[in-house]
Amino acid sequence: MKKTLSFFAAAALAASASVPAKADILSELLPNGFSLVAGLLGQGVFPTSANFTTDDSVVFTSRVDGTQIAGNIFVPTNVSGPRPAIIFVSSWGLNEYEYLAEAARFAEEGYIVLSYSARGWGESGGLIDTAGPKDMEDFSSAIDYLIANYNVDASKIGASGISYGSGISLLGAAHDSRIRAVVAMSTWGSLVESLYGQQTPRQVWGSLLVLTGKLLGRMDPIIEDTWNDVSNHRNIPAVTTWADERSPLKFVSQLNTNKPAVYISQNWGDNLFQVNSVFNLFNQLNTPKHIDLQAGTHAMGEIATMLADGNSHVWNNAHRWFAQYLKGESNAMESQLPVGMKVKFSSNGYEQMAALPGSSAKTQTYYLHPRNLIDNGDLSTSPYTSWFPAQNTINSFSDTLASTQIPLLSQMLEIVDTKVQSNIPLISMNTTQAVVFDSGKLSSTMKIRGIPSLSMYIQPWYDTVQMVAYLYDMDSSGTGTLITHAPVTLPAAKSGQLTKVDMKLVGTAYDVPAGHKVVLVVDTEDLLYTQPTWFPYSIDFEFNKNYQSTLTLPIL
């Protein structure tokens, strides 16, 4: 096993350090954190208890090609008869020792818990399959192994994982009907959207995944080839075929046929698996389901609280979910509505909803009006009706102060209410690289819940262009707090031709206070995303009473 500290583990430990903790939580965090690091170095440090036994020598054979898959198992000793079982699948960059702390907690509750390294990682053989067909066969082989070797109730098997492991769990439940419950944390709906949403390569996360695969795993060459194609907007139909086969959304009908109970935890600032495609997946599920949404970036909150005492809303719900659907126990999960939303930077608990906000939700539509020599453009509740068309132009010569800021870190720190902020008046002064629109002062709090949408008429002046839209909450001092954002790329733009661009911003839950303004900023780049060209280009934003550019916000 490569003796290199995984980026994800290091970041999770940093996240843990940033979360306020009581002394008893810290006393759990330190040994569990060291246990995770030791596991990455090939040394499993197992919790001990009179209530379970452990075995670190688990190896089972994949039925697809004979690959040896390495794992470990916790078996409860304080119960008799066939037991419910949980399968944990490792995250990208981690191994079979990732879930030791949580596996022990479940074993104390009477579950047999098998954890394994996905192929290509840790001590498992083979090449990384990126949640592909071979991973599905490995997953079913894990179920076979459990049933053949332990006193498992075959009708009460669940699966769980964080990040990569969550996707394999969902896909595995679609392919194998023996899985009756899934807990998927920081998961994805569409891998196409995760890599290339709105035709924009995810530069930071895509590059990080490839680098981690090279350093810590045994990567199939097709993974780097695919990422290179995505980064250069090449062979997209082939990329889509490859990625669809690894997307739970592609197999939602099979999930609905098999009907496992599905619990999902997702973070608003997850810029690897942004929430929009997870919303789409959740909305299409007709199985028992629940989703919790909260601040933070990809996987860090789940790993950090797992390394602490596990006493978090998400992990408590994970235990309740398995107890309800694998043991048949009544618990607090039953009193929760299917959707729980934690509003960003709010001290209140999770808002409970019967469903995710969708097309039938209440909306606030703003019409984009052009800026002039002395003022920003307007977000108006009335259409642009002037007889005189107008035009605002920006170029791609440089970036602006509108930004998602430090990739990964800025979103991770939102867990502790550290906001991503920019000075809106300074952005407004840069009229050559950004166009800014603001509303009037709000007379009451605006509760944004769901996925904002933006429709713009532009005239690109190159054959490939990119725009990044940022939605801000601006206070009386001009400080803007980032609510959400999104990129869109036109890799085959028609230079000089009027073009309508429809885009979705990343879903969010945010309250804009009374007296503040809603601000929309559009520029041409952000560190998170691959720029389509280094050649400078310009974009005209067109305003005409015959075609309206709009921003639509889902609100309560």
Side-chain angles (χ1 to χ4, degrees):
M1 181 181 296
K2 295 184 174 69
K3 302 184 185 299
T4 307
L5 177 61
S6 165
F7 167 84
F8 297 103
L13 292 173
S16 304
S18 71
V19 177
K22 297 179 181 178
D24 58 340
I25 296 178
L26 286 174
S27 68
E28 292 277 353
L29 173 63
L30 293 176
N32 289 335
F34 286 125
S35 173
L36 181 65
V37 173
L40 289 162
L41 300 178
Q43 302 296 320
V45 180
F46 284 73
T48 58
S49 170
N51 295 323
F52 58 75
T53 62
T54 61
D55 185 354
D56 190 23
S57 63
V58 169
V59 177
F60 60 89
T61 302
S62 176
R63 63 193 190 184
V64 66
D65 58 5
T67 295
Q68 299 291 290
I69 304 298
N72 58 70
I73 197 158
F74 287 65
V75 180
T77 58
N78 57 346
V79 292
S80 61
R83 302 308 306 155
I86 297 170
I87 299 172
F88 276 114
V89 187
S90 65
S91 301
W92 189 276
L94 299 180
N95 59 29
E96 64 267 29
Y97 301 119
E98 176 182 0
Y99 302 105
L100 293 181
E102 204 56 51
R105 296 181 190 116
F106 276 109
E108 292 277 4
E109 296 169 6
Y111 298 90
I112 295 173
V113 185
L114 171 67
S115 299
Y116 74 87
S117 289
R119 65 168 53 220
W121 298 104
E123 296 295 337
S124 292
L127 300 178
I128 299 168
D129 195 38
T130 322
K134 292 180 180 179
D135 278 317
M136 296 304 99
E137 293 297 327
D138 298 347
F139 183 84
S140 290
S141 299
I143 302 173
D144 295 341
Y145 174 83
L146 267 176
I147 294 172
N149 292 279
Y150 297 91
N151 193 12
V152 169
D153 186 334
S155 67
K156 297 178 179 178
I157 301 176
S160 183
I162 298 171
S163 184
Y164 188 50
S166 72
I168 292 177
S169 296
L170 282 170
L171 288 161
H175 286 82
D176 196 316
S177 61
R178 292 176 292 179
I179 295 298
R180 305 316 311 142
V182 175
V183 169
M185 301 183 181
S186 288
T187 196
W188 69 93
S190 166
L191 194 57
V192 179
E193 289 298 309
S194 300
L195 296 173
Y196 193 63
Q198 297 184 144
Q199 301 184 103
T200 306
R202 271 47 181 172
Q203 174 175 256
V204 170
W205 277 106
S207 299
L208 179 61
L209 292 176
V210 170
L211 177 63
T212 308
K214 286 181 173 181
L215 291 176
L216 300 176
R218 295 169 299 283
M219 202 165 65
D220 188 323
I222 195 174
I223 299 171
E224 187 170 16
D225 291 343
T226 299
W227 174 241
N228 287 336
D229 282 343
V230 168
S231 297
N232 293 284
H233 303 277
R234 293 189 311 239
N235 302 322
I236 297 304
V239 168
T240 299
T241 299
W242 180 87
D244 274 346
E245 192 174 31
R246 292 157 169 83
S247 299
L249 260 172
K250 180 74 172 180
F251 300 97
V252 69
S253 62
Q254 290 175 227
L255 282 167
N256 288 334
T257 297
N258 291 344
K259 291 195 178 302
V262 176
Y263 172 83
I264 295 173
S265 167
Q266 207 73 11
N267 302 319
W268 294 123
D270 188 339
N271 286 316
L272 171 57
F273 300 143
Q274 292 172 337
V275 299
N276 293 20
S277 78
V278 179
F279 277 23
N280 194 4
L281 171 66
F282 187 82
N283 285 333
Q284 292 188 43
L285 287 173
N286 60 26
T287 68
K289 61 184 180 179
H290 185 93
I291 187 169
D292 281 325
L293 298 135
Q294 52 277 319
T297 191
H298 180 72
M300 299 310 166
E302 293 93 333
I303 292 178
T305 52
M306 178 178 68
L307 296 181
D309 63 351
N311 185 23
S312 68
H313 178 83
V314 168
W315 277 110
N316 287 338
N317 270 355
H319 282 258
R320 293 169 184 140
W321 194 255
F322 281 136
Q324 181 177 352
Y325 289 102
L326 298 184
K327 290 183 173 181
E329 295 179 358
S330 296
N331 56 50
M333 200 76 232
E334 294 175 329
S335 65
Q336 297 183 41
L337 294 176
V339 176
M341 282 191 181
K342 185 75 169 65
V343 178
K344 292 174 68 174
F345 314 121
S346 169
S347 59
N348 297 328
Y350 285 72
E351 294 182 352
Q352 299 293 314
M353 302 179 182
L356 288 168
S359 58
S360 61
K362 182 180 177 182
T363 59
Q364 171 66 63
T365 297
Y366 288 113
Y367 296 87
L368 276 59
H369 290 211
R371 70 187 177 201
N372 54 43
L373 293 176
I374 61 172
D375 200 8
N376 293 332
D378 292 331
L379 293 176
S380 173
T381 56
S382 301
Y384 181 73
T385 57
S386 173
W387 286 97
F388 303 100
Q391 187 179 85
N392 294 155
T393 301
I394 65 172
N395 63 57
S396 66
F397 282 95
S398 66
D399 200 358
T400 73
L401 293 176
S403 172
T404 56
Q405 295 186 4
I406 304 171
L408 285 70
L409 179 62
S410 293
Q411 289 70 44
M412 181 171 68
L413 292 177
E414 288 186 342
I415 297 174
V416 289
D417 293 342
T418 301
K419 302 175 180 179
V420 176
Q421 294 183 319
S422 296
N423 186 287
I424 301 301
L426 286 179
I427 296 173
S428 300
M429 292 172 62
N430 186 0
T431 58
T432 58
Q433 271 81 52
V435 58
V436 181
F437 307 89
D438 57 50
S439 70
K441 290 183 179 180
L442 300 181
S443 59
S444 60
T445 299
M446 176 181 284
K447 298 183 177 183
I448 302 173
R449 305 287 188 273
I451 301 174
S453 60
L454 179 61
S455 178
M456 299 178 292
Y457 285 89
I458 67 165
Q459 196 169 15
W461 289 104
Y462 194 58
D463 58 10
T464 178
V465 300
Q466 182 178 94
M467 291 171 288
V468 184
Y470 303 89
L471 189 66
Y472 285 101
D473 158 22
M474 185 177 73
D475 64 18
S476 58
S477 72
T479 299
T481 298
L482 186 64
I483 301 171
T484 185
H485 80 288
V488 64
T489 303
L490 306 181
K494 296 181 179 179
S495 181
Q497 182 171 314
L498 182 67
T499 303
K500 185 183 181 185
V501 176
D502 293 314
M503 61 187 295
K504 300 289 187 181
L505 278 66
V506 178
T508 191
Y510 187 96
D511 290 346
V512 184
H516 288 205
K517 294 183 177 182
V518 176
V519 175
L520 174 68
V521 179
V522 183
D523 65 13
T524 61
E525 61 182 273
D526 189 274
L527 286 174
L528 285 174
Y529 308 108
T530 304
Q531 296 181 52
T533 178
W534 292 106
F535 189 86
Y537 56 84
S538 62
I539 301 172
D540 294 339
F541 293 81
E542 304 291 342
F543 305 90
N544 190 302
K545 68 175 184 176
N546 295 319
Y547 41 84
Q548 302 287 333
S549 295
T550 58
L551 169 67
T552 302
L553 304 178
I555 60 173
L556 295 183

